[in-house]
Amino acid sequence: DTIKDNETIRDELLAIMLGVWDHIKNGGDHGADTWALEWFGFLPGKRESRRFLGLHMLCESDVLGSAPFADAIAFGGWPIDTHPVQGVDAPAESPCSQHRVPHVYDIPLRACISRDIPNLLFAGRNISATHIAFASTRVMATAAAMGQGVGTAAAYAARHDVLPAAIPDRPECMRAVQQRLLRDDAYLIGLANEEGGDFARTARLTASSAQAAGPVANLVSGVTRALHGPDGAPPDRVVSGTHRWMSEGLPAQVELRWAEPVHCGEVQLVFDTGLHRPLTLTHSDAYAARMAWGTPQPETVRDYLIEGELDGTWRTLVQVEGNYQRRRVHEIAPGNRLTALRLTVTATNGLDHARVCEVRVYAGSPGAI
């Protein structure tokens, strides 16, 4: 019993670990004569113990079938990753069995809200899920996405005095939560930016150059990920395309122009950060060789300039050098009524052309949701 027998389990795991270390040092020639034991975790990190019950319990069919949920607040895609019940006492069994999921899948808000306590939310490894579904949702990147989704829903509930348990059944509430998540560069399967306050969506876009696979219109497609194809989103739910503007060289420039001046108080940019490439901690040299570790990703825009056309004159609004981040939000001095906005990319962190996933323009910052 991982709850009641916690101390006994801790002692047993400690004994096993020290026994392995004793064998490495004293049980034969393992090339460890000069090795020392530097650190070990003293408390066991349990994979699962108590199970919380939510308004919905995510199950194996939800994961394998990529079931669509109207109240999606995050997505997962890790394999169903199970281990022998007997642990180290099952030496004949593989220590891990991974079953790939066909597609990324929705994680609904209802799986993150208690079925008995209407203002209690779960996030991360304690969501309402079966043992098999949990084997996919439990990993850190998925848990982080859930944390953003649940945190956004909690902020909305507090701001609008709505019980969290009521949000999934109110389309206008769910739309507000999901659109804020998209504005903050979360990804939700099949959903796109529909915010009326985003002036970029009403602008006429032109670019100094564009590759066939990366037209300038992609800047306002409303989607900032390319998840079509094998292991991606289900074909009937995905919005295909690269969802990024790609120039033919550097420097590169894109212009947004409006028929009537617009109030510009905030410009949001989302850059390509090589999300197709793994970036994680690993003991494998071969796996590490696939990464760009400890350095900005080569696709990411490094140096850029934002200018605005005010009363027929171009003025510098923002100048950035040395960027390595994916999402950049720039506040513009209030009172600017711009007829056009211009983004000029002069350098990346290695690639020979510019890649920008999204441009948004707002009258002001969103503040609380």
Side-chain angles (χ1 to χ4, degrees):
D1 187 317
T2 60
I3 304 299
K4 297 178 181 177
D5 300 328
N6 183 65
E7 299 299 318
T8 302
I9 293 170
R10 188 276 313 277
D11 292 346
E12 176 68 11
L13 290 175
L14 186 62
I16 291 168
M17 189 279 298
L18 291 172
V20 171
W21 175 242
D22 175 66
H23 174 77
I24 290 172
K25 290 294 287 184
N26 304 313
D29 183 9
H30 297 292
D33 292 349
T34 60
W35 285 31
L37 182 60
E38 182 178 88
W39 179 91
F40 59 86
F42 192 69
L43 296 176
K46 299 186 191 71
R47 177 165 171 168
E48 60 181 310
S49 53
R50 294 182 174 90
R51 191 175 305 282
F52 291 176
L53 299 178
L55 297 174
H56 175 80
M57 180 171 284
L58 198 71
C59 64
E60 179 180 357
S61 61
D62 295 333
V63 171
L64 293 178
S66 190
F69 288 98
D71 60 331
I73 45 84
F75 75 101
W78 188 258
I80 295 176
D81 182 2
T82 57
H83 299 260
V85 175
Q86 299 85 356
V88 295
D89 293 329
E93 293 189 45
S94 171
C96 175
S97 176
Q98 290 192 324
H99 301 275
R100 298 189 69 85
V101 297
H103 303 289
V104 296
Y105 56 86
D106 284 340
I107 297 174
L109 180 59
R110 284 173 295 144
C112 306
I113 301 175
S114 170
R115 72 177 188 182
D116 300 313
I117 306 172
N119 65 338
L120 176 63
L121 294 100
F122 319 137
R125 301 183 76 175
N126 61 355
I127 70 164
S128 177
T130 64
H131 169 71
I132 293 299
F134 172 83
S136 173
T137 62
R138 67 176 182 85
V139 292
M140 285 188 287
T142 306
M146 286 188 278
Q148 181 179 2
V150 170
T152 301
Y156 181 90
R159 174 76 172 178
H160 297 276
D161 196 22
V162 177
L163 282 173
I167 294 177
D169 295 324
R170 298 185 181 181
E172 71 281 5
C173 298
M174 275 312 311
R175 183 183 183 278
V177 170
Q178 290 170 334
Q179 286 297 313
R180 179 56 184 265
L181 284 167
L182 295 178
R183 180 168 180 165
D184 292 339
D185 195 34
Y187 175 77
L188 298 173
I189 301 171
L191 296 185
N193 171 29
E194 297 177 348
E195 283 197 317
D198 177 10
F199 295 131
R201 298 178 61 219
T202 63
R204 181 171 61 88
L205 277 68
T206 56
S208 57
S209 65
Q211 299 182 30
V216 70
N218 280 355
L219 289 173
V220 290
S221 71
V223 182
T224 59
R225 311 283 200 285
L227 260 78
H228 59 283
D231 300 324
D236 61 337
R237 300 179 61 201
V238 72
V239 181
S240 298
T242 62
H243 298 292
R244 62 191 178 214
W245 164 59
M246 298 188 293
S247 71
E248 291 185 335
L250 291 172
Q253 195 171 83
V254 61
E255 181 181 286
L256 292 77
R257 183 167 293 277
W258 293 275
E260 298 291 336
V262 299
H263 285 283
C264 178
E266 178 184 290
V267 177
Q268 175 175 308
L269 304 171
V270 176
F271 298 118
D272 186 342
T273 47
L275 295 182
H276 65 285
R277 183 184 304 108
L279 186 61
T280 185
L281 298 173
T282 180
H283 292 297
S284 167
D285 291 340
Y287 197 62
R290 297 167 55 191
M291 305 181 198
W293 180 258
T295 185
Q297 304 304 298
E299 296 87 353
T300 308
V301 168
R302 189 188 72 193
D303 304 335
Y304 61 93
L305 177 72
I306 300 176
E307 299 169 284
E309 188 181 66
L310 183 66
D311 298 327
T313 303
W314 285 101
R315 302 182 182 183
T316 298
L317 304 176
V318 176
Q319 186 164 6
V320 174
E321 295 182 352
N323 175 63
Y324 58 89
Q325 295 178 311
R326 173 177 168 85
R327 178 174 178 263
R328 295 298 303 266
V329 178
H330 299 288
E331 292 187 5
I332 308 300
N336 285 326
R337 283 179 55 83
L338 304 181
T339 50
L341 192 76
R342 190 161 63 195
L343 169 67
T344 303
V345 177
T346 55
T348 71
N349 285 285
L351 208 63
D352 62 357
H353 63 275
R355 291 187 177 185
V356 185
C357 298
E358 185 175 64
V359 175
R360 294 190 183 210
V361 180
Y362 294 99
S365 60
I369 183 173

